[in-house]
Amino acid sequence: MTVRIGVIGVGMIGQDHIRRLTQVLAGSDVVAVADTDAARARDVAGGLAGATAYATGEELVAAPEVDAVLVCSWGPSHEQYVTAAIRAGKWVFCEKPLATTEQACLNILDAEVSHGKRLVQVGFMRRYDPAYRALKASIDGGEIGAPLIFHSGHRNASVPSHYTADMAIVDTAVHDIDVARWLLDDEVVETMVVTPRKSGRGGPLQDPLLIMLRMRGGAIVNIETSVNIAYGYDIRGEVVGETGTVELAESATVLVKRQGVVNARVPEDWRERFIRAYDIELQDWVDNCRRGTCGGPSSWDGYAATVVTDAGLAAAKSGGWAPATLRDKPMIYG
């Protein structure tokens, strides 16, 4: 079976996923696209054999030739497209965020629960990164005892001019929040945001930030976001346990030792660092669609991440701890 996919939102990430689905991965075909920029949608469809450009995402979801939907549109539009796909009984992969408000996430949860089974996978690609998977295997295997502290670092060389202070939490740290929940197999109960000395490279932006998470089981997570650090895109991670530590290795595949200096490449951006994770993630989604199942990060994971980022925004304003309160977890999410 070839999964016939419709892509809603054909900006940078949408087009990158189309390239991945049509040139790298197996078992799928992109048969439809939609975008608020109709001309761009037509241009992208014109480069795909037999693909149709639809005027709206809802029309794409309803199209009989579409088996599964890939949502890569603007975050505030995710709810309408994901719920439309659920109502149509179609598999849907939604790039993060699941939705931009807690209520919108709850609406998606309610729609999926009413449908009676999972249809939605959320794009938290770090769970598919081989290095993070090795980190989790070490924790789950008991190699360092019970995890007590997770240090997570998210560093960008620079960010675009439209990047705001809130985005450090809702767009950048959201990945660290999700991976903390996954690595520790636990939920966040409260968060606090600390502002260190401000970098001179960030203009008016408060950069860096230190975001603290207290987990239900008592572990503490600290997330450093440094988004104007100049030297490259660098993702750090170390878990401190009762009997040892485990951390992500450097991402460079080789070290060059020459004239008394050791050199290693630092990735330029997220696409370079996580290209393999994106490939594995989407191939897993396609394979699950072919089997008639749904795996990977769920709508619950997307909802939990949004609740925690909202708490982070509240904590940044108050200067204290802010609670992250979740509804009861529906049974379909395990």
Side-chain angles (χ1 to χ4, degrees), residues 69-261:
V69 180
L70 181 59
V71 177
C72 302
S73 56
W74 186 46
S77 70
H78 287 186
E79 178 193 1
Q80 67 188 87
Y81 300 136
V82 173
T83 53
I86 293 170
R87 287 194 299 269
K90 296 185 178 183
W91 309 109
V92 55
F93 182 100
C94 180
E95 270 299 346
K96 65 89 182 170
L98 174 66
T100 53
T101 68
E102 179 179 354
Q103 186 57 56
C105 289
L106 289 172
N107 293 341
I108 292 171
L109 291 183
D110 289 342
E112 200 169 23
V113 169
S114 294
H115 181 76
K117 69 175 185 179
R118 277 192 59 191
L119 290 175
V120 180
Q121 179 173 334
V122 180
F124 289 123
M125 78 293 182
R126 289 193 189 185
R127 297 189 185 202
Y128 290 90
D129 177 63
Y132 271 110
R133 286 189 161 188
L135 191 67
K136 183 165 177 60
S138 181
I139 298 166
D140 291 349
E143 293 184 34
I144 61 169
L148 308 175
I149 301 170
F150 174 38
H151 303 287
S152 189
H154 193 142
R155 301 171 182 166
N156 294 60
S158 63
V159 288
S161 58
H162 67 264
Y163 190 96
T164 65
D166 287 358
M167 290 174 70
I169 296 172
V170 303
D171 192 59
T172 299
V174 65
H175 284 290
D176 304 81
I177 290 166
D178 176 72
V179 86
R181 294 179 56 254
W182 175 67
L183 286 173
L184 303 178
D185 192 22
D186 202 1
E187 296 291 4
V188 179
V189 294
E190 60 181 348
T191 181
M192 182 170 66
V193 178
V194 178
T195 54
R197 175 180 171 179
K198 187 173 171 296
S199 168
R201 289 180 44 82
L205 186 69
Q206 171 55 53
D207 178 52
L209 289 181
L210 189 64
I211 302 159
M212 311 291 291
L213 311 177
R214 192 186 307 277
M215 309 304 289
R216 184 178 293 164
I220 293 291
V221 177
N222 66 70
I223 300 168
E224 170 211 332
T225 62
S226 296
V227 298
N228 288 284
I229 206 164
Y231 74 87
Y233 182 81
D234 194 11
I235 299 299
R236 320 299 300 176
E238 180 186 23
V239 177
V240 179
E242 294 172 309
T243 60
T245 70
V246 58
E247 64 185 286
L248 298 175
E250 296 291 340
S251 60
T253 54
V254 296
L255 299 176
V256 178
K257 298 180 180 180
R258 181 172 177 269
Q259 296 182 339
V261 176

Side-chain angles (χ1 to χ4, degrees), residues 18 63 130-131 151 251 269 290:
I18 289 171
H151 303 287
S251 60
D269 59 19
R290 295 174 73 186

Side-chain angles (χ1 to χ4, degrees), residues 11 24 43 58 65 67 75 80 148 173 195 212 281 291 299-300:
V24 179
D43 287 345
E58 288 85 356
E65 75 272 19
D67 301 316
Q80 67 188 87
L148 308 175
T195 54
M212 311 291 291
E281 173 189 50
R291 289 190 292 261
S299 297
W300 177 265

Side-chain angles (χ1 to χ4, degrees), residues 247-288:
E247 64 185 286
L248 298 175
E250 296 291 340
S251 60
T253 54
V254 296
L255 299 176
V256 178
K257 298 180 180 180
R258 181 172 177 269
Q259 296 182 339
V261 176
V262 178
N263 286 316
R265 176 171 175 77
V266 178
E268 181 178 348
D269 59 19
W270 51 271
R271 286 164 293 193
E272 180 182 350
R273 170 62 180 84
F274 287 113
I275 186 170
R276 181 64 181 139
Y278 279 111
D279 290 347
I280 298 170
E281 173 189 50
L282 271 192
Q283 186 67 69
D284 183 59
W285 178 61
V286 169
D287 291 345
N288 281 331

